[in-house]
Amino acid sequence: MSYINKLCGKGSAIYFTQSKFQNPMSFPFTKANTVHRLWILFPVLIILSYGYGVGALNSSDVTSVGAIINFNSRIGKEQKAAMEVAAEDFNNRSKTHKLILHFRDSGRDPFRAASAAEELIKEKKVEVIVGMETWQEAAQVADHAGNQSKVPVISFAAPTITPPLMQRRWPHLIRMATDASAQMKCIADLVSAYHWKRVVVIYEDDGYGGAVGTLAVLSEALRDVGSKIEHRLILPRVSSLSNPNWVELEELLKLPLIQSRVFIVLQSSLPTVTHLFRVAKKMELVGRDSAWIITESIVSLLDSLDSSDMSTMAGTLGTTTYYAKNTNSYAKFQNEFQTKFSEEDNSKPGIYALRAFDTMTIITQALRRMTSNSSTSNLQELFNTLFNNYTGLSGKMYFKEGGVLLYSPKFRIINIVDGKTDKELISWTPEVGFSPSLVNQGTNSSNGVGIIWPGNVTSAPKGWAMPTDEKKMRILVPGITSFYKFVKVDWSRQDSDEKKFDGFCIALFKMIVSNLSYSLPYEIEARNGSYDSLINLVQDKTYDAVVGDITVLSERLEKVDFTQPYLESGLSMIFPENYEESTWLFLKPFTWQMWVVTGGILIYTTLIVWFLERPSNPEFGGPFKDQIRTATWFTFSSLFFAHREKIYSNLTRVVVIEWLFVVLILSSSYTANLSSMLTIKGMNPNVTGIEMLKRTNAKIGSDADSFILNYLEVVLGFKNSNIIEVGPQYNVDDFKSKRISAAFLELPYAEVFINQNCKGYTSTARNYRFGGFSFAFQQGSPIARDFTKAILELLENGELKKLQTHWLTTPEGECSNNATSNTPESLSLKNFSGLFIITSVTSTLCLLLSLVILMRKCQQQEADQGNASPSPSDESLWNRTVRIAGFINQSLSIPKGAPSFANVEEWSSPLRWDYTSTSNTPEHPQAFMEPAQIEFIPQESIELKQKYMYISEN
């Protein structure tokens, strides 16, 4: 009969059963026997007292697992409870194999964790070690336990930046942790969603530089979204603080030059983060216009805080890993977990508890496989296989290069409200990011998901130390400007006097401030100095902004943030006008090539008209010289007025109509260009451009305080000795005294100068473009973005144009004829090449068509004459050509019996055009023209011809 019925029950308890005694006399013997057996069981009781797990029936069926955690942290307590739940589930189901857990406290000390690992391996003979809350602990344990003892190590931490050849250095290490890189990208997207450009990063010094990698990843993620870490605040460890009132922390939080009010807490212990928020709230850093963001490792610690501590964190945003809560397996685990974790007020398991449970589940599955298959004895290989494509309570995982990662990491943004961390706002994934409604969460509280920000406000904070009536925004303006129309300072008045500062830029600034959706208290100060020195005063945070005619340059953009430019800028050249009377100005509308081609087309059209009209038009009779004179006069007169000569040939009409179209285009273009040249008078040939100024070593003027001085020398290549510094306002005496030949100004200045000196000076168009005039703010200031939006609105509604006209434009009538463009160029052949091609082709086609008609007439005449001429086969090519040419020459001759057409008045009278053919007068078949020739002949001419024929017959 056995006195021990069962060993190793729930909670590592040992249940004893005692038999009934049949003989009372046997009691002394039985008692002695019992004492003897208890001495034998004493070593077993010692082993069970050191183990925080479940016993086994015999040593051959027991697997020991070492767990190194932080006993004092909420995360460590959750991990311990979750691993115990998993071990008890396995022991209750398995009849042949048991699992014993041996817990050791690391206290977040890497060396202590390594020592505990050596003790577990040597004394407890553990076959696997799990735990390690920090990467420093995991690396030390992997070096001592994994590399030396070949024991698999599963850590709940991983480096933010994976070291090179990590798998080769720690082949027995498996990392199962949150993807820190994805979490930092989530925080960066959160910063970008609210247009925060500068942040302050806070983390506790753990003594081992644990936050350095996370800080580097966060900095890169913020840079990708256009933001930047303005300041790093390193908190001392709790043990290093000598003053219980946390005076050191209060001194650290004094940020006189830090304007950002977006705080990101990367890592911290619970006592440190609790006092951090207490001191920050005392210093009014947790309130309106501020935003606080904490990471998952800190969110997991907050459930153990009381309501008074949680109230200081109201409005804080946090990130947590998403996991499904609506599954049966999670509900079962939560019930068992809460039984183990009942001493805490909030006993809901977090992501760290779920990972610990999943890890122990993988270990138990590996033990089952080893039991069922004796050939498989390598735990490391089993772990690598089981972790791949495993779906646990924390999500679906995959194994890659020693790391266990989620297939699609998903984070939730939580909002601490009413002392609770369970208000979930929205989810984030690396592929999609946030949904478009994230920003609207800040103002949409009607649906119960609106964000409550620090200070119990629902509108998104600026994340910046906004000006107040007690601490106004300090605005700096230049004391001396190139033109007083932009900024004018009356030094005789006090700074508090609004009339001390005047000008276009000051008026625009005040207009923008009045259009903002919030109050912006400010005070304006003026300083003399270069514009770069004013920019530096904003960069070192002596002033909040510079208002004036500041040009946006790449070098300045590295120091400050600029608003949307309110005026375009570029390089313009000012020079005095010098008119000269040109004798040959009337030839300038066209280039010489254009004149030559126009003359050629005129001569070609003249010859075509002569050839087409010579056979039928009596006015083209007489000597050859008179014929050419008539044809030339006929064509040339079309340039100026409608000709009165009659046209007999239809082909001539086509040529003339097309020629009149050419004349119309040429005369209109010539008139327009000549008018422009007479209206816009040409500049002095000595100042025709930058190249001529450099070639002649002419003296040029530039503002000494402007970057234009350097631009002229470095970019445009002017000699420094030829650049003369001129004072503000650009006095015209420098031009009149011939001290300078030209001055180079930015486009807005050039426009003001021309408006003031419109008579006698002109400017070139903008050839070199700059960034424009803008206002400069401290880098990261959200006010710059609000100003940009206001400037765009003023541009769109036309108010900025009205303001510009009021301040920078001369009153109507004073400079009505302000010429700021170059003299019009002569029209070239390229402008009319298409027109000339059309007229040439048309005239040529008419000529060819006329030759075809003459050839047909020649063939018809040969057919009528019968054998009078030799056959084409007997005639040589030369003779045939001569015969055809003679026929054409005969066709171009006027018959001798033709009447006189010297009466100009008769041919100038209105005409009636009829068709007539010489073939219809059989009495005189060759009297006037060749057979079958059809021409347009006036009715009066027909009657005159009939009368002449009647007289001849009688």
Side-chain angles (χ1 to χ4, degrees):
M1 185 174 59
S2 175
Y3 290 96
I4 302 178
N5 185 29
K6 190 175 182 182
L7 186 65
C8 300
K10 280 189 176 183
S12 302
I14 302 176
Y15 297 93
F16 297 92
T17 59
Q18 188 176 12
S19 62
K20 296 181 180 179
F21 300 103
Q22 302 293 334
N23 188 355
M25 296 299 297
S26 62
F27 176 74
F29 172 78
T30 303
K31 182 176 181 181
N33 192 20
T34 301
V35 172
H36 176 71
R37 294 187 177 184
L38 287 175
W39 276 105
I40 295 176
L41 290 175
F42 184 75
V44 177
L45 295 176
I46 295 298
I47 293 175
L48 293 177
S49 64
Y50 278 100
Y52 288 84
V54 183
L57 292 175
N58 52 67
S59 60
S60 62
D61 296 328
V62 173
T63 299
S64 297
V65 176
I68 302 176
I69 59 176
N70 184 6
F71 286 178
N72 298 322
S73 70
R74 164 91 183 194
I75 294 176
K77 293 177 182 179
E78 287 188 9
Q79 291 171 342
K80 179 177 181 296
M83 286 188 283
E84 288 178 345
V85 170
E88 289 178 3
D89 287 347
F90 173 77
N91 289 335
N92 291 336
R93 294 179 182 179
S94 177
K95 298 180 180 179
T96 60
H97 210 107
K98 298 301 177 182
L99 188 67
I100 296 179
L101 290 174
H102 300 276
F103 290 96
R104 296 293 182 269
D105 183 17
S106 67
R108 294 178 66 91
D109 187 341
F111 300 103
R112 185 175 176 182
S115 177
E118 291 182 358
E119 185 263 334
L120 288 172
I121 294 173
K122 292 179 180 179
E123 298 183 9
K124 303 303 178 183
K125 308 299 179 183
V126 296
E127 299 182 28
V128 61
I129 296 178
V130 298
M132 287 72 71
E133 188 176 326
T134 66
W135 169 244
Q136 289 75 21
E137 299 175 50
Q140 289 290 332
V141 172
D143 280 333
H144 290 78
N147 295 349
Q148 297 178 10
S149 304
K150 311 300 181 184
V151 175
V153 177
I154 304 176
S155 72
F156 297 144
T160 306
I161 302 176
T162 303
L165 303 177
M166 182 175 181
Q167 187 66 15
R168 183 179 301 179
R169 180 177 179 181
W170 295 296
H172 300 282
L173 175 63
I174 298 176
R175 309 177 305 277
M176 187 176 182
T178 300
D179 188 351
S181 177
Q183 184 176 195
M184 294 303 104
K185 290 180 180 179
C186 173
I187 294 176
D189 284 353
L190 181 62
V191 171
S192 175
Y194 291 99
H195 309 288
W196 297 324
K197 298 301 181 181
R198 294 293 181 272
V199 301
V200 176
V201 175
I202 304 175
Y203 59 92
E204 183 180 4
D205 179 22
D206 59 1
Y208 306 100
V212 174
T214 307
L215 185 67
V217 174
L218 176 62
S219 178
E220 182 179 356
L222 289 172
R223 186 167 57 250
D224 291 340
V225 298
S227 299
K228 183 180 179 181
I229 297 177
E230 185 179 16
H231 183 66
R232 291 180 299 173
L233 183 59
I234 305 176
L235 304 178
R237 302 182 67 179
V238 177
S239 58
S240 64
L241 291 178
S242 58
N243 193 321
N245 295 325
W246 295 72
V247 177
E248 292 91 341
L249 183 58
E250 187 171 347
E251 290 295 326
L252 289 173
L253 286 177
K254 290 181 179 180
L255 308 173
L257 298 179
I258 305 302
Q259 298 293 322
S260 174
R261 290 298 179 265
V262 179
F263 301 94
I264 301 176
V265 187
L266 290 182
Q267 70 175 29
S268 174
S269 62
L270 186 60
T272 302
V273 75
T274 303
H275 286 84
L276 169 66
F277 276 91
R278 287 179 182 174
V279 175
K281 189 168 186 179
K282 176 184 177 182
M283 301 179 65
E284 298 182 352
L285 295 178
V286 181
R288 182 181 294 271
D289 297 323
S290 66
W292 287 77
I293 303 173
I294 56 178
T295 57
E296 184 177 51
S297 61
I298 299 176
V299 174
S300 302
L301 304 173
L302 301 181
D303 288 332
S304 59
L305 291 179
D306 55 27
S307 58
S308 61
D309 291 330
M310 290 293 292
S311 63
T312 61
M313 304 181 186
T316 301
L317 300 182
T319 59
T320 60
T321 302
Y322 171 83
Y323 51 87
K325 298 181 180 180
N326 54 356
T327 61
N328 295 331
S329 57
Y330 176 82
K332 179 178 178 298
F333 169 72
Q334 182 178 357
N335 292 333
E336 296 177 355
F337 177 84
Q338 289 177 339
T339 302
K340 288 280 185 182
F341 210 61
S342 57
E343 69 272 11
E344 295 287 348
D345 295 335
N346 189 344
S347 57
K348 291 183 180 180
I351 185 64
Y352 292 95
L354 299 183
R355 288 202 185 100
F357 181 83
D358 288 340
T359 301
M360 292 304 302
T361 303
I362 292 292
I363 293 175
T364 57
Q365 289 184 9
L367 294 179
R368 290 192 185 97
R369 290 198 180 187
M370 292 180 64
T371 303
S372 61
N373 187 1
S374 59
S375 61
T376 305
S377 59
N378 192 326
L379 273 177
Q380 186 72 43
E381 294 181 357
L382 279 176
F383 291 154
N384 296 348
T385 303
L386 292 173
F387 271 119
N388 198 29
N389 292 325
Y390 174 73
T391 302
L393 295 180
S394 57
K396 188 176 181 179
M397 314 168 196
Y398 70 95
F399 185 82
K400 181 180 179 181
E401 298 180 355
V404 181
L405 304 173
L406 295 177
Y407 266 104
S408 180
K410 190 176 183 180
F411 291 92
R412 298 174 298 179
I413 304 299
I414 60 102
N415 189 197
I416 299 180
V417 180
D418 298 332
K420 299 180 181 179
T421 61
D422 55 356
K423 183 178 181 180
E424 299 178 4
L425 300 174
I426 202 168
S427 299
W428 179 92
T429 58
E431 300 80 10
V432 180
F434 295 112
S435 65
S437 61
L438 172 64
V439 177
N440 295 332
Q441 301 290 335
T443 57
N444 184 14
S445 59
S446 59
N447 54 10
V449 297
I451 299 178
I452 304 299
W453 298 96
N456 197 29
V457 296
T458 57
S459 58
K462 295 291 183 182
W464 196 260
M466 297 298 289
T468 61
D469 292 334
E470 293 77 19
K471 188 178 180 181
K472 297 182 179 180
M473 185 177 185
R474 299 186 65 188
I475 304 297
L476 182 62
V477 298
I480 300 178
T481 59
S482 297
F483 289 90
Y484 293 147
K485 282 183 173 291
F486 290 92
V487 176
K488 184 178 181 180
V489 180
D490 187 354
W491 295 98
S492 62
R493 298 178 182 271
Q494 298 294 327
D495 290 344
S496 58
D497 191 349
E498 293 185 357
K499 295 183 179 180
K500 179 176 181 177
F501 307 100
D502 200 5
F504 169 74
C505 298
I506 303 300
L508 176 61
F509 172 77
K510 293 180 179 179
M511 179 181 290
I512 294 174
V513 171
S514 63
N515 289 341
L516 295 177
S517 58
Y518 52 88
S519 175
L520 187 67
Y522 64 88
E523 56 185 11
I524 302 178
E525 298 180 25
R527 278 201 179 188
N528 294 329
S530 65
Y531 284 12
D532 287 336
S533 65
L534 302 183
I535 293 294
N536 293 334
L537 290 175
V538 176
Q539 181 189 18
D540 62 21
K541 300 180 181 180
T542 304
Y543 292 89
D544 297 309
V546 176
V547 172
D549 46 343
I550 309 296
T551 305
V552 180
L553 301 176
S554 59
E555 181 182 357
R556 296 172 180 175
L557 195 59
E558 297 294 329
K559 302 177 180 179
V560 294
D561 283 350
F562 285 99
T563 64
Q564 165 73 25
Y566 54 84
L567 285 179
E568 293 184 352
S569 179
L571 187 62
S572 182
M573 182 172 65
I574 302 292
F575 52 88
E577 293 178 337
N578 188 6
Y579 307 116
E580 61 175 358
E581 300 297 335
S582 177
T583 305
W584 303 100
L585 182 62
F586 69 93
L587 293 178
K588 287 187 177 181
F590 289 160
T591 61
W592 68 269
Q593 296 93 338
M594 183 69 180
W595 284 114
V596 171
V597 174
T598 302
I601 293 295
L602 173 64
I603 295 173
Y604 183 68
T605 304
T606 298
L607 295 177
I608 296 297
V609 170
W610 171 80
F611 183 84
L612 295 177
E613 286 296 304
R614 178 69 181 85
S616 58
N617 196 332
E619 294 192 7
F620 286 82
F624 180 75
K625 186 191 322 182
D626 295 338
Q627 296 176 25
I628 296 300
R629 185 185 298 113
T630 302
T632 304
W633 167 255
F634 176 83
T635 307
F636 187 76
S637 62
S638 301
L639 295 171
F640 310 103
F641 52 84
H643 61 84
R644 301 176 64 88
E645 289 78 5
K646 298 178 178 62
I647 300 176
Y648 286 79
S649 173
N650 288 330
L651 295 178
T652 308
R653 291 188 178 91
V654 174
V655 173
V656 171
I657 290 175
E658 197 279 332
W659 170 249
L660 290 176
F661 178 73
V662 173
V663 169
L664 175 64
I665 298 300
L666 292 179
S667 60
S668 300
S669 302
Y670 177 87
T671 303
N673 205 23
L674 181 60
S675 300
S676 299
M677 290 182 175
L678 293 174
T679 303
I680 304 176
K681 301 176 181 180
M683 70 174 77
N684 190 331
N686 294 328
V687 191
T688 57
I690 293 177
E691 293 301 325
M692 179 168 288
L693 288 172
K694 292 192 295 184
R695 186 170 59 253
T696 58
N697 287 324
K699 302 296 183 181
I700 59 174
S702 175
D703 188 356
D705 292 335
S706 174
F707 71 97
I708 298 295
L709 185 66
N710 182 67
Y711 189 89
L712 292 173
E713 184 177 354
V714 176
V715 180
L716 299 184
F718 282 99
K719 297 179 180 179
N720 183 267
S721 58
N722 293 332
I723 303 176
I724 299 177
E725 299 179 2
V726 295
Q729 311 308 312
Y730 285 84
N731 197 327
V732 295
D733 293 338
D734 293 325
F735 290 104
K736 294 179 179 180
S737 62
K738 304 297 182 180
R739 183 170 176 241
I740 58 175
S741 299
F744 286 88
L745 290 79
E746 291 186 72
L747 184 61
Y749 299 150
E751 293 177 351
V752 172
F753 182 89
I754 292 298
N755 284 331
Q756 294 177 347
N757 307 276
C758 54
K759 296 181 181 180
Y761 297 91
T762 188
S763 64
T764 61
R766 177 185 61 186
N767 295 324
Y768 302 91
R769 186 173 182 179
F770 303 136
F773 284 0
S774 179
F775 298 152
F777 289 82
Q778 291 183 13
Q779 285 189 335
S781 173
I783 303 176
R785 184 175 182 273
D786 295 338
F787 265 57
T788 292
K789 181 180 179 181
I791 290 174
L792 291 175
E793 291 176 351
L794 294 175
L795 286 170
E796 293 168 2
N797 59 27
E799 293 297 326
L800 184 55
K801 181 62 177 178
K802 295 178 182 178
L803 191 67
Q804 180 181 352
T805 303
H806 173 74
W807 282 96
L808 306 181
T809 304
T810 304
E812 187 70 23
E814 294 186 13
C815 284
S816 58
N817 296 324
N818 182 17
T820 58
S821 61
N822 292 331
T823 304
E825 297 180 355
S826 300
L827 298 175
S828 64
L829 181 61
K830 185 178 179 180
N831 302 118
F832 300 95
S833 58
L835 183 64
F836 288 153
I837 291 175
I838 293 174
T839 184
S840 301
V841 171
T842 302
S843 300
T844 303
L845 289 176
C846 290
L847 174 63
L848 295 177
L849 186 58
S850 176
L851 291 176
V852 170
I853 294 174
L854 291 177
M855 292 293 295
R856 292 183 61 183
K857 289 169 61 178
C858 179
Q859 293 176 0
Q860 182 66 33
Q861 182 178 358
E862 291 177 355
D864 293 341
Q865 291 177 357
N867 296 327
S869 60
S871 61
S873 60
D874 297 336
E875 188 179 14
S876 63
L877 179 61
W878 172 255
N879 292 336
R880 181 177 176 82
T881 303
V882 172
R883 181 171 52 83
I884 293 175
F887 178 78
I888 294 175
N889 182 55
Q890 181 183 357
S891 300
L892 294 176
S893 301
I894 296 294
K896 296 180 179 179
S900 175
F901 296 95
N903 192 349
V904 178
E905 183 178 355
E906 174 187 352
W907 290 98
S908 301
S909 61
L911 304 178
R912 291 182 293 109
W913 303 95
D914 294 327
Y915 288 101
T916 180
S917 176
T918 56
S919 62
N920 294 330
T921 58
E923 295 82 0
H924 303 277
Q926 297 293 331
F928 292 95
M929 54 191 68
E930 300 298 329
Q933 180 178 358
I934 300 175
E935 296 289 349
F936 288 100
I937 301 177
Q939 182 66 27
E940 293 86 346
S941 178
I942 295 175
E943 295 175 355
L944 184 59
K945 292 176 183 178
Q946 291 177 351
K947 182 178 180 181
Y948 174 78
M949 292 170 59
Y950 176 77
I951 296 174
S952 299
E953 291 176 356
N954 294 329

